[in-house]
Structure formats: structure tokens, C-alpha cells
């Protein structure tokens, strides 16, 4: 490593040469009399490379300042330009044009403010955010040779050419806090070389300036007294000073060619070098023991290791910080550290903490990740105390825990000033733009996206409102203090002495006279506002939440912790976000009338992010977007204790910055910012629609995308339903819309089922099918399984369907068919002749109609059934009747064809009927319902959906059999269960088979007359197959597993694994049934009956 | 045929524009409206400031009554057209991909919604360039006309319309001549090489029309 000064590098032509280091120490920026700016790399191996040259100035560059990513330069023409140092250096705008030459520029660590001094007698403080002049510091009588802005942007130290140094507090209204006469040199106005510069220490605790006696004087902050003098090395005018990164050393250069390095604490020089040239400026690498200075010949010198090793130049700020520092340290840590530093610094100076950050806290568009630069964030480099000594005057208070920033509130959609315009609000309704006019007033312009709703309006605004919230009913406006305003560059805000004002501007034509204006108490200022047609909310600096009606009635006041970040309203809901210590947020969702809270808790943010936007979706989902570009919805807010934040959009991958405006169910409406700007331009451009996408795993897989869409559809559907329930209102669009939404969800699931079938993932298909909401959709699902030749899956799905929809049907049926169904069954019973009383008794109570509920209920139903049956007839006779204990009353006449699961599910080739016609009819009915739905006729779809819910009719299931025995099939089929009970014993299994085989016509007729009966029979047959030995089946079918699956279905129990191929041990609950079925011949009958019927029926079908 | 004799020779520009009006464009409605049930489908609902797709004729109608802003299609952006122009001007380049009715749509949009299209003057100029370079390319392509086929991909409606009269006549003429040539060759061959087979005919066919 080279120790000592490198050979001069001639960067510019002869003349005054300015110099600065970037905050990360990698770049050296010089500006010279040849109007050029050159950017060198500071590291030793890259130092000799070609410098980047910028030719933006028209005159000699005499001032250069740099921070982390900004470079500000000033020239003798009076033009101050700024550059962005991201991926190369690009011009980013003109900061200021003044009539007289600039002499010194200085930038705050947060890169928001620039102080410019020049040959006129005023110092200007300019906001880099909007390039607006924020303060003009007038007080000097002569040209100002130097203006140094403290790193935290709180103070400006300005050196007049008359040797006076003035210190200004620029946090609120600029005030001169100290005038130090005869501190600096008396300089020659207009001659750059014969002037001196003041510089702040990196921690902002002191500044240094050279003065008479060629001594560097260090002035401590707050006391503004000269704390030390460093002299004795220079023999000519000291032109510039520089602080080391740790704040322990100061370097000075002079016209005599001497460069000296001073230990501030020890107040002595630790190293000096003599060069032959007149030295102009000096800068210290903030992260290394490296000094750079320029001379009047346009040369750049770099001095590596100016502080000798023996002097204990602690490398804390160099290697340690450079390695882990900016990159690895998360921004939350930085925030906390900065806070600690600030409270440390300001302890005891009597300043309210909240005022410590002047230029912080505006909402930031999110893009690259370096947004929301907190005041003094760049100070993180200096947090580590290198030598434990720091500066003598530094207050020795122990660091306090990170305090919560109070002044970080923002208004969603508000931007800082850009030119003379600024958005006060921008949302789904429209925009509120403030236009600066003159010192006395602004103009407020309200434009609506929907021109038919309201007429655009604009009015003169003598209050100079700085907060606004917009809704359909009106616009709420408020003034506030500068300290509480969205950003430090706020212009035209009322002074802190003035009382703040809240005003409401109503839009409804008849309510034109209902505008109101309310002044707030003198010491209470609005922090943020929210308004909806249900009322207005004002959060104030005294921790008050004031809720008013749109007419101006004050209806609720509540005390809140004074750390509200933002609030937003929609309908009758108000969402409040409150800051918490660890950089995350708390949320409170309450009613707009203050009558209660729906939900509250932690609002998650992406690590390192802050809240950038809050709002509600069009449908009313509360949403928060953080500065990292992740949008989250507060889901299930309507249900107590169930609210959760669901991430629905991640814009981190996008190239351009995105400024969220509003959220609809499917899109985030946002302005994509062009170029370097992070804020939307005025007038509002066409909003981009960014489709929402829940961040699922495997986002590129087709199935995942569908899953995501299904998830979103389910979420928005449930939100609409939940909101309707919460407000006791109707689903938006009525029941047809609800059915349509549900069907849409089902369609997505069906497509997923198909993908799962194709991929041969049956469990996945079953899981998906379990989410299907309507029965016809489920039928279509089975159809898909059959189509994909997944017969086992189809079988399983059928069982699942039983579980899912029997309950469902019952619920529905009870509502719709209470009277109807009962009447129908009564009618049937009237026709029955003698024994039907048993059956009548056994008509199940309501509870029994919920077979899937518990085994307990079933047992309760089964026992009396068995008893009464036994009393009524011989035991074998009673068996099928006992089954009717599970019966439900007949369904009302339906249009749909019966749905026979066995025809679908049987894998046996002897059945030849994998694809039962009846099944496909049902499925077709559904698919036609789907297509009808597609042609915007949701009512038809809903009707079809209702039609699909055909409850089984077990009470009549034996009718075909009875009919055969009595040879009066049609009559018997009408007479119902009682008749069947009498005749069944005379049958044999073969007889049943024979019947169907020999009488297809009759069978067909019956099928036409009683479409549901066969279906009900096949369903309830399963009720009989309780716990049979599976070997029994083998003689009847080549597919025992299909049977066994039925057995499993009968004994459904949540804990039991449904995949077991054969029935397990008999459960107590079903024993009564079983006891009735113990009769050997009855068992044979049962099985043959079922399969005979099955076979016969299908036979008939085929025949046709 | 229902096409009049005049239309066999091509459509007029207004006619083409009429046909182009069924293409869809994106608009940002400025008035809230429910769905519109149109003969060719449903459009809407219109919820400012959310975009919707509507037929061009509806968009122009709404635009004329100041009820919407038309979002310029992606191909009608200055940068995109610039890129296309460059591609088009490259030697031996094919026709660039543009909507079938691009000229008509651009004309309608630039007439009706000039305020919604950024850099409309530049776009006009670029469209003119594009059209001219494509026109010259089309004419060059016409030189290669043969009696079998003429392939020019990505030709737009208006451009096809331009070459239609010329192409139609010359193509018919060529085909007639071709059949005469074929017939004469066939008879010659049959007389000269009576014993030769069909293969010789194939050869002569191929050699006379290298494809």
C-alpha cells in the first residue's frame, strides 16, 4: 500500500478546482475551470483509469458536493446541477439558477436538501425532491463564500466574506440562531481561490472553519462556541477543511501548499505535507484513511493513509463498515440506529425530538429499495464510535432505545411538490391537486375519473391546505404545521402559530350549502384525514381521533397513541395504521361512527419496508402497500378474530416505480412512473392495471396459476359474502351474481381437477373436488374423472359427494321444500293401504335427515326404526324398511335426470357401463348450465344448480321389486314403502335379475315415471352394506374394491382413513342396522338385489 | 356473388375503415355505465378509471361525446413504430407484423383521439414512412408474380386493397398463359417422346417454373 501522496493527476485546466468524495468513498468528483466535472474511482487500482467526464456546465465549476447517490455541482454562471450516481452518473436536474456565481454547495445526508451560497448575500436551501427553494437565508451583508448544511439538515453554517459566520436553523422556519463575528477569514468576494469553506463533522456535532491566524476553529453545535483552535502549520490562507469519517481528525489545505491533518481531540497536527501548488479544496474519504485535495493548477492529489498508523486511526468506519455496512445492515437497523443517534445528539438541547427530522416522512413510491430515506440515514456510517472519544462537546448521554418516529404520517396518494403542483389526494374517485399561486393562496383542483358523477371543480384556497381526502360524497381538506406535513419541502403550510383548519367540501348538488369549516385548537394539528360517505375522520397531533359526519356533526372523539401513520376510510369502515417500535405497524379497523372495532393487530410489512399506501379495494377489502411494493389485503376482517393479511401482489420485480392509486378485485390501479421520478405527474396519466397474483409456490406452473386464480376468486367471493353478512345487506348483484361468482370458482377448480387427472394425481383431484361449492359442478368433476379414465377416482368422488352435499341438500331442502316435500310424502302415504303406519312412524325426525352429522344421531334414528319394524312385521321383512329410517321425504319434482353413481364407478368390464347415460345426462345438464352462464344468464345457471340437488328417496327404493312381485308395478311404485315391505320376502335375488332382464320395457317405463327412485335405491343400498366380508362380493363382481369402497362410505367417520379398501370393524353406532341384516338369506338378497338391479337397470339402458 | 363489380376491384378507404371499426380498442371510460348488450357481444361494465375493451366504433362514439379516453394500442407508440420502420427499411426484410387494419385504425384514432396519443405528429410521420417502405416492398413483390402463388405475409387490408386490381388481372392472365404453355408442351412431348413417361413432363414443369 502506497503511503504518501500520489503524483498529481491533472484533471482540469488551470484554475480553482473543487472536490468531493461520494458518501461510500468510492468516487472522487472534481470540478474545474474547464467547466467539466470528472468522476474518478478512489481505490488504488482503479484510480488511474479514465475518469468519467460530464459536460453539463457552461462555466467554471467551483463547487462540488456529494452524498450517497447524489452529486450537486455549482458553477460561476450561478447554475447548480444535480446528478444521480446510480449505475453511472446521470444529470437529474437543475437545482437552482441564480444571477451571480455559486461559491459553495452542500447536501444533506438524506439527499433531500441542498444549501447553495454564492456571490449574492443570501444562502438558498433547495429541496432536491422538487427543486423548489425552501428557504432563502438573508442576513449576510456581503457575498457568502461557504454554506455548509449539517448532515441532518437541521442547521446551515454560512461564511460571509466579511468574516461573519451565521448559523441558521432550517428545520422549521429558517431562523438565524447564532452570528459569530470575526470567526473566519475576510475573503475576497468573487475570487474563488481567496475564500474559505466551512464543513460539518459527519455526526453533525460541530463544524470547522478557518480564520485569522491561519487556524482552523471548531464550533460546537447548540452552544455555538469555539471549542477548539487548530493552528500553527499554515502560513497562508486556509482554503478548505475536511473531517474524517469518524469525526476525530480534520484536514486543512492552504494557499501555501501545506496540507495538515489534525487530531481534534488532542488539538495538534498529526501529519503535514508540503506541496508546491496553491491548494483549493480537500476532502476525506468517509470510509477510509484517505485524503484527496486539489490545487489551483487543476490537479488532483490523493494521500493514502494521512493519519500515521501510530496515531491509532481506528478503521472502524473503513473496513468494518464498508463490508457489512450499507449492504448488509437492514434499513430497520439503520432507522433504529439513526434514531438512537439523533436522540443521543439532541439530548439536552431542549429540542422536541419530533422536530429532529425535517425532511423526512413523505410517502415514497417503491422501486429500487433505497426509498424513504430517513433523515440522517446516511449517518449510519458514523454510528459506531471509533475511538470512544468522539468530540469533546458531544453530549455523553447513554443511547436511548429507538423511539417511535412520530412525524412519519402520510396521506395516501399525496406527493411532494413537483414544480408548482402537488397531489393532495389521488384515489379511485379522482384527484385533488394543489397549485401554488402566490404567497397568499393556492388553488385546489378536484378532478374526477367519473365525469358523470360530479363536475370537476377548482377553487382558490386561502388556507393553503396541505392534507386532503376524497370520496364520492365530498372532499375533506385540512391545514397543518410544517413539522407534521408530508414533507419538509411543503410550501404554503400555515405557520405553527396559526390554528389549523379542517374543511369539508360536499359534492352532492343539493348539499352545496353544507360545506363546513372547523378550526382546531391552537396546539392541535391534523396528522391525517379520511373521508367516506359515512363520515369524516381527522387524526390530530394530540392523539385525537375526531369522527364527524359529512354534515359536520362531531359524533365521536377518541384518544389514540400519537403515532398514527395514516388512515383511510371506505363505506362505514376506517382503517388506521399506527407505527410500532420495531419498524412494523399496527392496524385498527373500526367503524366510521366510532361504534366499535372490527379488527386490530399487527400489520406485517416486508422487512425494511414502510407503509407507502393504504386503502380499500373497490369491494371494501382493506389493503396496505409497503415501500417494497408488496400489497396485502386484510382478509376475513368481517369475522371476529379471524382477520389476516394476505399478500396479493408483489411488484418488486418490476423495473419502473409504481405509485398505487386504487385497488379493484382483480387489479391494482397504479401509475407507472417514468424516468427518475417516483411520483405521478399532473395531470394524472392513464392508470396501469397490475393484475393481482397471490405469491404461490411454483408461480410458473399452469396448475399454480390456476390455483392462484381459484384462491383469489374464493377470497373475493368470501369477502363479498362476508361484507354482505356484516352489513346485513345483499350480495352485490343479488343472488344471481353470487351464483355466478361461485360457479366461476368452481370452473377454475374443475380445470384444476382435470389437470390433476391428467397428471395422475388422484389425491390432489379429491382435495380439489372437496372445495367445489355446488353439486352440479361436482357432477361435472366426476365426469372429468371418468373422461380421464380414472374410475377409482370417480368412485371416490361419488362418496365425497355424498358427504358434501347431503348436508347441503338438507339445509337447502329444509328451506325450500319444507312444505312441498312433506305434502308429497303425505300424499304417498295416503295412497298406501295398511301397513304403512310403520313406515309413517319411521319417517325420520329432522335430525335424522342429517346423516353425515354424527353417528349418534344415526343411532338414535336407527333404533326406533328397528323396533317399530320388528313390531310391525317379521324381522326379515323389516330389513329394507329399517333402511328407510334414514329416508328423507320425497323430493319435489325435478327436471334433471337421476344420477346413478354405480353406472359411473364400476370398473368391471362386465358392467359395460362405465359411462352411464344417466350420469352423462346429469353432467350435460350441468355443462349446459355452464354455457348458459357464459351467455350472461346466471339465473338459468342458478336454476340448473338447484335442479341438480336431487335428494335420494330411500323410502321408495324397493318399489321396482315390489312391483315385480305383485305384478302391478306402477301401482306399487306409487304406494310406496309400505307395500314394498309386504312383498319383498317373496323375492329371490335371481328373480330380481330376471325381472330386469326380461322386462326392459317396463323398467324403462318406470324409469320415465320415477326418475329419482332408481337413483335413490342405489344410494341407499349403500346404507345396507355395512360391514360385510368383502369376499362375499367376489362372486358377484370382478371389482371387489368398488364394493368395498361403498362399504367404507357407509361407515364414514372423520377420523377414519377413507382410503382403506375394505371395511373395518363394526362400529357400535351401526350395530342395530347390522343386527337386522344378520339373517343369512337376507344378506344374499341384499347384495344380489343391489347388483341385480344395477345390472338390470343398466341392461335396460343399453337396450334402449 | 354479392360483391358489386366495383368492389371486385377493391374497397374504398371509407369502406375499409368501416370494416376496421369492429376491431377492439382499450378505453378508459369517463362515465360510469353498466354493461352494454351489443349484437356482437357484451361490453363493459364501464367503471372509471378502469380500462375496458370496446369495438372501435363505440370508442369513437364515446370519444366524440367526451365520455372516454382511448388508450393508444401498443403498436401505435412512437418507439414501437420507430423500431418497425427500422426493421422495414432493412434490405431483404419481410413485412413487419402489424394489425390487419393498422392503417385504418391509426387513421381513425389520429382523427378522433389525437389528444390521447402521445407524439401524434411523430406517429403520423412514422406511419407515412412505414407505409411508403411497405408499398415499395409490395411492388417489388409484385414483380415476382407467377401463376402459382404470391406470398406476402403480414400484409394489411389496405395494402392488399392497393394491389388488388393489378394483381387480380395479371394473375388471371398469367394463369391463362400458363395453361396454354402447359398444353402446348404436353402435346410436343407426346409427339416427340411418345415412349417417354410422365416423369419427363414433371421435369419440364419444374424447370419452367423454378419456385
Amino acid at each position: 500500500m502506497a503511503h504518501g501522496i500520489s503524483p498529481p493527476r491533472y484533471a482540469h485546466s488551470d484554475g480553482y478546482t473543487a472536490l468531493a468524495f461520494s458518501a461510500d468513498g468510492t468516487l472522487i468528483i472534481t470540478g474545474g475551470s474547464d467547466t467539466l466535472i470528472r468522476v474518478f474511482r478512489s481505490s488504488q487500482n482503479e484510480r488511474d483509469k479514465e475518469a468519467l467526464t460530464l459536460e453539463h456546465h457552461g462555466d467554471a465549476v467551483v463547487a462540488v458536493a456529494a452524498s450517497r447517490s447524489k452529486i450537486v455541482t455549482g458553477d460561476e454562471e450561478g447554475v447548480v446541477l444535480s446528478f444521480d450516481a446510480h449505475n453511472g452518473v446521470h444529470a437529474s436536474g437543475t437545482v437552482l439558477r441564480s444571477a451571480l456565481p455559486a461559491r459553495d454547495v452542500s447536501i444533506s445526508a438524506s439527499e433531500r436538501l441542498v444549501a447553495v451560497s454564492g456571490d449574492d448575500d443570501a444562502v438558498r436551501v433547495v429541496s432536491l425532491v422538487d427543486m423548489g427553494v425552501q428557504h432563502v437565508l438573508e442576513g449576510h451583508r456581503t457575498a457568502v463564500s461557504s454554506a455548509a448544511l449539517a448532515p441532518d439538515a437541521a442547521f446551515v453554517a454560512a461564511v460571509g466574506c466579511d468574516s461573519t459566520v451565521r448559523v441558521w436553523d432550517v428545520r422549521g422556519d429558517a431562523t438565524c440562531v447564532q452570528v459569530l463575528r470575526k470567526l473566519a477569514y475576510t475573503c475576497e468576494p468573487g475570487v474563488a481561490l481567496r475564500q474559505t469553506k466551512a464543513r460539518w463533522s459527519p455526526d453533525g456535532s460541530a463544524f470547522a472553519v478557518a480564520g485569522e491566524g491561519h487556524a482552523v476553529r471548531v464550533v460546537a453545535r447548540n452552544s455555538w462556541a469555539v471549542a477548539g483552535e487548530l493552528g500553527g502549520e499554515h502560513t497562508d490562507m486556509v482554503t478548505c477543511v475536511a473531517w474524517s469519517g469518524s469525526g476525530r481528525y480534520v484536514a486543512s489545505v492552504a494557499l501555501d501548499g501545506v496540507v495538515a491533518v489534525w487530531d481534534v481531540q488532542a488539538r495538534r497536527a498529526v501529519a503535514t505535507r508540503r506541496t508546491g501548488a496553491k491548494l483549493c479544496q480537500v476532502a476525506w474519504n468517509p470510509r477510509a484513511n484517505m485524503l484527496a485535495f486539489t490545487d489551483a493548477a487543476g490537479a488532483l492529489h490523493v494521500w493514502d493513509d494521512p493519519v500515521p498508523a501510530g496515531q491509532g486511526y481506528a478503521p472502524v468506519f473503513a473496513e468494518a463498515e464498508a463490508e457489512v455496512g450499507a449492504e448488509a445492515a437492514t434499513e430497520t437497523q439503520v432507522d433504529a440506529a439513526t434514531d438512537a443517534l439523533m436522540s443521543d445528539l439532541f439530548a439536552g438541547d431542549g429540542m422536541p425530538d419530533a422536530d429532529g427530522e425535517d425532511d423526512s416522512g413523505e410517502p415514497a413510491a417503491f422501486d429500487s429499495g433505497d426509498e424513504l430515506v430517513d433523515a440522517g440515514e446516511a449517518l449510519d456510517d458514523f454510528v459506531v464510535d471509533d475511538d470512544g472519544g468522539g468530540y469533546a462537546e458531544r453530549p455523553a448521554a447513554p443511547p436511548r432505545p429507538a423511539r417511535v418516529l412520530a412525524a412519519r404520517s402520510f396521506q395516501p396518494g399525496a406527493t411532494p411538490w413537483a414544480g408548482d403542483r402537488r397531489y393532495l389526494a389521488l384515489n379511485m374517485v379522482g384527484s385533488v391537486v394543489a397549485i401554488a399561486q402566490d404567497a397568499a393562496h393556492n388553488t385546489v383542483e378536484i378532478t374526477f375519473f367519473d365525469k358523470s358523477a360530479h363536475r370537476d371543480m377548482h377553487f382558490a384556497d386561502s388556507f393553503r391546505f396541505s392534507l386532503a381526502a376524497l370520496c364520492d360524497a365530498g372532499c375533506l381538506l385540512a391545514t397543518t404545521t410544517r413539522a407534521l406535513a408530508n414533507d419538509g419541502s411543503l410550501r404554503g403550510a400555515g405557520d405553527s402559530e396559526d390554528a389549523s383548519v379542517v374543511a369539508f367540501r360536499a359534492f352532492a348538488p343539493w348539499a352545496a350549502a353544507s360545506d363546513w369549516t372547523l378550526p382546531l385548537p391552537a396546539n392541535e394539528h391534523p396528522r391525517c384525514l379520511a373521508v367516506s360517505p359515512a363520515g369524516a375522520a381527522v387524526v390530530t397531533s394530540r392523539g385525537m381521533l375526531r369522527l364527524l359526519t359529512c354534515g359536520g356533526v362531531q359524533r365521536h372523539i377518541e384518544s389514540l397513541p400519537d403515532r398514527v401513520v395514516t388512515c383511510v376510510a371506505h363505506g362505514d369502515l376506517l382503517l388506521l395504521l399506527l407505527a410500532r417500535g420495531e419498524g412494523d405497524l399496527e392496524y385498527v379497523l373500526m367503524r366510521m361512527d366510532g361504534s366499535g372495532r372490527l379488527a386490530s393487530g399487527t400489520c406485517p410489512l416486508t422487512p425494511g419496508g414502510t407503509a407507502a399506501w393504504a386503502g380499500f379495494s373497490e369491494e371494501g377489502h382493506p389493503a396496505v402497500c409497503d415501500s417494497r411494493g408488496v400489497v396485502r389485503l386484510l382478509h376475513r376482517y368481517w369475522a371476529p378474530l379471524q382477520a389476516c393479511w394476505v399478500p396479493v401482489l408483489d411488484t418488486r420485480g418490476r423495473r419502473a416505480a409504481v405509485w398505487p392509486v386504487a385497488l379493484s378485485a382483480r387489479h391494482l390501479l397504479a401509475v407507472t412512473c417514468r424516468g427518475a421520478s417516483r411520483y405521478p405527474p399532473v395531470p394524472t396519466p392513464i392508470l396501469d392495471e397490475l393484475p393481482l397474483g397471490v405469491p404461490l409456490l411454483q408461480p410458473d406452473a399452469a396448475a399454480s396459476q390456476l390455483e392462484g386464480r381459484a384462491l383469489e376468486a374464493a377470497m373475493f367471493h368470501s369477502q363479498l359474502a362476508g361484507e354482505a353478512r356484516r352489513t346485513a345487506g345483499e350480495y352485490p348483484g343479488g343472488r344471481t351474481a353470487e351464483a355466478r361468482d361461485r360457479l366461476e370458482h368452481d370452473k377454475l377448480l374443475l380445470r384444476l381437477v382435470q389437470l390433476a387427472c391428467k397428471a395422475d394425481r388422484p389425491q390432489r383431484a379429491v382435495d380439489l373436488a372437496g372445495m367445489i361449492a355446488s353439486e352440479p359442478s361436482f357432477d361435472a368433476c366426476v365426469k372429468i374423472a371418468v373422461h380421464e379414465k380414472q374410475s377409482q377416482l370417480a368412485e371416490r368422488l361419488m362418496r365425497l359427494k355424498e358427504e358434501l352435499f347431503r348436508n347441503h341438500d338438507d339445509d337447502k331442502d329444509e328451506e325450500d321444500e319444507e312444505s312441498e316435500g312433506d305434502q308429497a310424502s303425505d300424499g304417498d302415504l295416503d295412497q298406501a293401504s295398511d301397513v304403512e303406519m310403520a313406515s309413517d312412524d319411521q319417517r325420520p325426525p329432522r335430525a335424522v335427515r342429517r346423516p353425515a352429522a354424527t353417528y349418534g344421531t344415526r343411532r338414535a334414528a336407527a333404533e326406533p326404526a328397528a323396533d317399530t319394524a320388528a313390531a310391525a312385521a317379521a324381522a326379515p321383512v323389516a330389513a329394507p324398511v329399517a333402511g328407510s329410517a334414514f329416508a328423507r321425504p320425497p323430493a319435489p319434482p325435478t327436471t334433471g335426470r337421476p344420477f346413478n353413481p354405480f353406472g359411473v364407478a364400476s370398473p368391471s368390464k362386465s358392467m359395460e357401463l362405465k359411462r352411464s347415460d344417466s350420469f352423462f345426462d346429469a353432467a350435460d345438464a350441468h355443462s349446459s348450465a355452464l354455457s348458459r352462464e357464459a351467455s350472461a344468464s346466471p339465473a338459468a345457471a342458478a336454476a340448473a344448480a338447484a335442479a341438480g340437488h336431487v335428494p335420494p328417496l330411500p323410502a321408495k327404493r324397493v318399489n321396482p321389486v315390489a312391483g315385480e312381485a305383485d305384478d302391478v308395478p306402477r301401482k306399487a311404485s306409487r304406494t310406496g314403502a309400505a307395500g314394498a315391505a309386504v312383498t319383498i320376502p317373496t323375492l329371490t335375488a335371481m328373480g330380481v335379475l330376471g325381472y330386469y332382464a326380461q322386462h326392459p320395457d317396463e323398467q324403462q317405463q318406470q324409469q320415465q315415471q320415477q326418475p329419482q327412485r332408481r337413483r335413490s335405491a342405489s344410494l341407499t343400498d349403500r346404507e345396507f352394506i355395512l360391514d360385510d366380508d368383502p369376499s362375499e362380493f367376489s362372486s358377484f363382481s370382478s371389482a371387489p374394491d368398488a364394493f368395498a369402497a361403498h362399504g367404507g362410505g357407509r361407515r364414514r367417520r372423520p377420523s377414519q382413513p377413507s382410503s382403506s379398501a375394505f371395511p373395518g370393524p363394526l362400529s357400535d353406532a351401526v350395530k342395530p342396522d347390522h343386527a337386522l341384516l344378520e339373517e343369512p338369506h337376507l344378506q344374499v338378497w341384499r347384495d344380489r338385489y343391489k347388483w341385480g338391479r344395477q345390472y338390470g337397470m343398466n341392461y335396460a339402458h343399453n337396450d334402449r | 356473388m354479392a360483391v358489386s363489380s366495383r368492389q371486385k376491384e377493391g374497397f374504398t378507404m371509407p369502406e375499409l375503415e368501416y370494416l376496421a371499426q369492429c376491431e377492439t380498442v382499450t378505453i378508459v371510460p369517463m362515465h360510469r355505465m353498466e354493461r352494454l348488450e351489443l349484437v356482437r357481444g357484451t361490453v363493459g361494465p364501464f367503471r372509471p378509471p378502469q380500462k375496458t375493451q370496446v369495438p372501435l366504433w363505440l370508442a369513437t362514439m364515446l370519444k366524440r361525446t367526451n365520455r372516454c379516453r382511448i388508450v393508444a394500442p401498443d403498436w401505435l407508440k412512437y418507439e414501437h413504430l420507430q423500431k418497425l420502420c427500422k426493421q422495414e427499411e432493412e434490405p431483404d426484410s419481410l413485412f413487419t407484423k402489424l394489425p390487419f387494419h393498422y392503417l385504418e385504425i391509426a387513421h381513425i384514432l389520429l382523427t378522433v383521439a389525437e389528444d390521447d396519443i402521445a407524439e401524434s405528429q411523430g406517429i403520423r410521420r412514422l406511419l407515412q414512412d412505414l407505409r411508403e417502405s411497405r408499398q415499395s416492398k409490395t411492388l417489388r413483390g409484385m414483380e415476382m408474380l407467377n401463376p402459382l402463388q404470391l406470398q406476402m405475409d403480414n400484409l394489411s387490408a389496405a395494402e392488399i386493397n392497393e394491389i388488388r386490381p393489378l394483381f387480380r388481372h395479371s394473375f388471371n392472365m398469367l394463369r391463362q398463359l400458363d395453361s396454354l404453355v402447359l398444353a402446348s408442351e404436353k402435346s410436343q412431348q407426346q409427339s416427340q417422346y411418345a415412349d417417354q413417361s410422365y416423369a419427363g413432363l414433371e421435369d419440364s414443369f419444374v424447370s419452367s417454373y423454378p419456385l
Side-chain angles (χ1 to χ4, degrees), chain A residues 871-941:
Chain A
V877 180
V881 182
S884 74
F886 312 126
R888 295 187 275 181
T894 53
T895 51
R897 297 284 301 275
F899 189 87
N900 191 310
F902 291 97
V904 184
S906 165
S908 155
K909 70 172 186 278
S910 67
M911 303 305 274
E912 290 183 341
L913 284 162
K914 277 182 188 172
R915 308 170 130 227
S916 148
D917 286 354
S918 60
F919 161 67
F920 273 92
D921 288 352
D924 288 346
H926 177 55
S927 60
S928 68
L930 288 181
S931 62
R932 274 202 297 278
E933 188 274 338
S935 63
S937 173

Side-chain angles (χ1 to χ4, degrees), chain A residues 745-938:
Chain A
H745 180 224
D746 286 352
K747 276 192 215 167
L748 290 167
L749 289 174
L750 288 178
R751 287 172 64 186
L752 278 167
V753 168
Q754 188 172 21
L755 285 177
C757 286
K758 278 196 198 306
D760 206 15
R761 307 264 304 276
Q763 184 57 48
R764 184 179 159 86
V766 170
D767 292 352
L768 288 163
M771 302 175 199
I772 288 177
S774 75
E775 196 170 1
S777 306
F778 204 99
D779 295 348
C781 176
V782 182
K783 183 184 174 187
I784 288 169
V786 171
H787 181 77
E788 300 289 342
K789 311 226 173 355
Q790 300 266 359
S791 47
Q792 288 204 28
L793 172 65
E795 170 65 24
R796 191 170 287 273
L797 288 177
M798 282 316 303
R799 261 191 291 135
L800 182 63
K801 181 188 164 184
E802 286 251 308
E803 287 180 30
L804 286 175
F805 294 106
R806 267 210 293 192
N807 267 344
H808 199 63
D809 286 349
D810 285 348
D811 295 344
K812 266 207 179 144
D813 295 348
E814 270 177 44
E815 289 164 22
D816 305 344
E817 302 157 8
E818 194 89 356
S819 51
E820 220 176 313
D822 288 356
Q823 276 163 13
S825 70
D826 287 346
D828 279 355
L829 289 165
D830 287 344
Q831 286 179 8
S833 45
D834 34 14
V835 210
E836 72 268 346
M837 281 316 289
S839 159
D840 199 16
D841 289 343
Q842 289 157 23
R843 275 193 61 219
R846 286 289 178 211
V848 186
R849 292 174 58 195
R850 302 176 183 281
T854 59
Y855 281 86
T857 33
R858 177 163 303 234
R859 180 179 191 166
E863 276 170 349
D867 295 342
T868 42
V877 180
V881 182
S884 74
F886 312 126
R888 295 187 275 181
T894 53
T895 51
R897 297 284 301 275
F899 189 87
N900 191 310
F902 291 97
V904 184
S906 165
S908 155
K909 70 172 186 278
S910 67
M911 303 305 274
E912 290 183 341
L913 284 162
K914 277 182 188 172
R915 308 170 130 227
S916 148
D917 286 354
S918 60
F919 161 67
F920 273 92
D921 288 352
D924 288 346
H926 177 55
S927 60
S928 68
L930 288 181
S931 62
R932 274 202 297 278
E933 188 274 338
S935 63
S937 173

Side-chain angles (χ1 to χ4, degrees), chain A residues 34 112 162 182-183 238 309 341 372 445 471 536 678 763 915 1036:
Chain A
D34 52 4
R112 287 183 195 282
D162 57 355
K182 304 274 178 210
L183 183 70
V238 177
L341 171 76
L372 260 189
E445 203 173 75
C471 75
R678 292 187 291 139
Q763 184 57 48
R915 308 170 130 227
F1036 295 102

